[in-house]
Amino acid sequence: MRVNGIASPLPEDPRTLLSDHLRHQLRLTGTHVGCEHGVCGCCTVLLDGKPVRSCLLLAVQAADHDVTTIEGLAPDTAALHPIQQAFHEAHALQCGFCTPGFVLAVKGLLDEHPDPTDEQIQEGISGNLCRCTGYANIRKAVRLAAAAR
Amino acid sequence: MKPAPFEYHAPTSVDEAVRLLGMLEDAKVLAGGQSLVPLLNFRLARPAHVVDINGIPALDRIYERDGGVAVQALVRQSDAQRSELLQKLCPLVPEALKHVAHQVIRNRGTVVGSIAHADPAAELPAVILALQGSVRALGPGGTRDIPAESFFMGVLESALAPDELAVEVWFPAFTGPHGLREESRRHGDYAMAGVVRAGDRLALFGVAPTPVTADPNEPTRDLQPSADLEATPGFRKHLITAMTRELFAA
């Protein structure tokens, strides 16, 4: 498996979830783990460019695939990715726990709909929970990121 | 919440997958995993063997067959939703897929997996039942087509034998009046109750151990939905009546 462009060994135990493998073995703790059954969206990563739940994927299933985590989204350490920048500018995070999942879900949304309607934004972020309930600013950030493209 | 230990198998052909299913005691097929992996995480399912079919090539086609559309076992729900063939011949299927969980889940979840999983509250089993489609199963004795009417046996229980693999599902072409309505407490949750229309046919989900067909004029006849924290049996019946009226008035 390639994680953020770097070839990486698979775990020995096939029952290891991708979310746990990323956090515990690779120390990529930007992938957050909330519910571990696919409801909260915090653990969203990109698998071959498409957002998926890393808690619903065995790490061994990512063999021969590209995984992008929040750590691999920005092109370098100097600048934020435009979506991250938009979240920053729109104050689209409070505690930040849900943010990595939201940012990667929005990446998938904007790849599919570069100029999303309000309904598409609503639908696109509906699989992610923000318990600070900061959805209004998250929607603002999506519009900002779309405009910045 | 971690899966219990299991032995992992990744066959590279359908024949090898079927051979493994015939050979292994207590094996579970893993396709999209969006229903199975939560069950593994909760340890509600603890299979001794997991047979991951994701590495089987050429099992992800959507194609025209027998006056309808066949969807193979590795077609992701998001790809089926975008399929022009399904939109043209079986528009109910992509329309129903909008209601299945969320986009991120649909990127991984499969159409066939959702039907084979036979969750009574899921949308796609009711859709294939309303459309009178079928499931193609491959076993040691060859293939057989199981009509949707006899496929759903109980809660998470289908007519598939332990050594059979659902290789594709088939939906007959249907462009007449159709639709799906469901009510859930939160968007993307399993529905408290749902209705699917395909012409004069009505299928209900979330209100019985399997999806069931019903008379559009009397949709709750003989219906005995269960109670849970979200809805009483009476409320479920009310939802069915109201949504059926809405669907057939359109």
Side-chain angles (χ1 to χ4, degrees), chain A residues 77-120:
Chain A
T77 51
L80 293 174
H81 183 275
I83 297 172
Q84 292 171 315
Q85 186 64 33
F87 269 65
H88 170 67
E89 283 170 26
H91 190 57
L93 62 152
Q94 292 181 47
C95 83
F97 188 84
C98 68
T99 311
F102 264 102
V103 168
L104 291 167
V106 169
K107 173 82 169 65
L109 167 68
L110 293 181
D111 284 347
E112 196 173 347
H113 306 290
D115 186 17
T117 62
D118 286 351
E119 199 190 341
Q120 284 165 338

Side-chain angles (χ1 to χ4, degrees), chain B residues 44-208:
Chain B
L44 291 170
R46 317 176 57 128
H49 299 273
V50 168
V51 178
D52 180 359
I53 61 169
N54 286 282
I56 300 176
L59 199 57
D60 57 356
R61 278 192 318 135
I62 301 175
Y63 68 100
E64 229 176 312
R65 149 160 95 75
D66 306 325
V69 179
V71 178
Q72 290 188 313
L74 288 177
V75 172
R76 309 293 162 183
Q77 288 157 352
S78 57
D79 292 325
Q81 203 181 334
R82 280 189 290 262
S83 156
E84 281 174 24
L85 192 60
L86 281 170
Q87 279 166 10
K88 195 174 80 183
L89 297 181
C90 312
L92 171 59
V93 177
E95 208 179 301
L97 280 165
K98 283 188 219 158
H99 297 271
V100 178
H102 303 284
Q103 182 61 46
V104 175
I105 301 277
R106 296 194 294 267
N107 279 342
R108 189 72 191 161
T110 65
V111 172
V112 175
S114 175
I115 290 167
H117 186 61
D119 192 310
E123 292 85 358
L124 295 181
V127 166
I128 198 170
L129 183 64
L131 284 171
Q132 295 181 282
S134 58
V135 178
R136 182 163 283 184
L138 178 66
T143 40
R144 62 175 181 133
D145 288 320
I146 310 166
E149 284 87 350
S150 48
F151 185 76
F152 303 104
M153 314 283 281
V155 178
L156 306 186
E157 203 185 331
S158 77
L160 287 169
D163 58 357
E164 278 183 321
L165 177 71
V167 286
E168 64 186 45
V169 293
W170 175 80
F171 302 101
F174 182 78
T175 53
H178 63 271
L180 183 148
R181 296 272 191 287
E182 64 176 30
E183 275 298 328
S184 55
R185 292 285 180 199
R186 289 163 305 187
H187 177 75
D189 276 8
Y190 278 112
M192 295 181 281
V195 294
V196 183
R197 176 187 183 184
D200 295 333
R201 281 177 64 82
L202 170 69
L204 316 177
F205 58 98
V207 289

Side-chain angles (χ1 to χ4, degrees), chain A residues 38-125:
Chain A
V39 173
C40 75
C42 291
C43 70
T44 303
V45 300
L46 304 181
L47 183 73
D48 298 330
K50 281 188 187 167
V52 297
R53 300 275 200 257
S54 63
C55 74
L56 297 188
L57 208 64
L58 303 174
V60 287
Q61 292 189 282
D64 306 323
H65 292 279
D66 275 302
V67 176
T68 307
T69 68
I70 193 70
E71 290 90 343
L73 194 61
D76 53 55
T77 51
L80 293 174
H81 183 275
I83 297 172
Q84 292 171 315
Q85 186 64 33
F87 269 65
H88 170 67
E89 283 170 26
H91 190 57
L93 62 152
Q94 292 181 47
C95 83
F97 188 84
C98 68
T99 311
F102 264 102
V103 168
L104 291 167
V106 169
K107 173 82 169 65
L109 167 68
L110 293 181
D111 284 347
E112 196 173 347
H113 306 290
D115 186 17
T117 62
D118 286 351
E119 199 190 341
Q120 284 165 338
I121 294 175
Q122 191 78 359
E123 174 66 29
I125 62 170

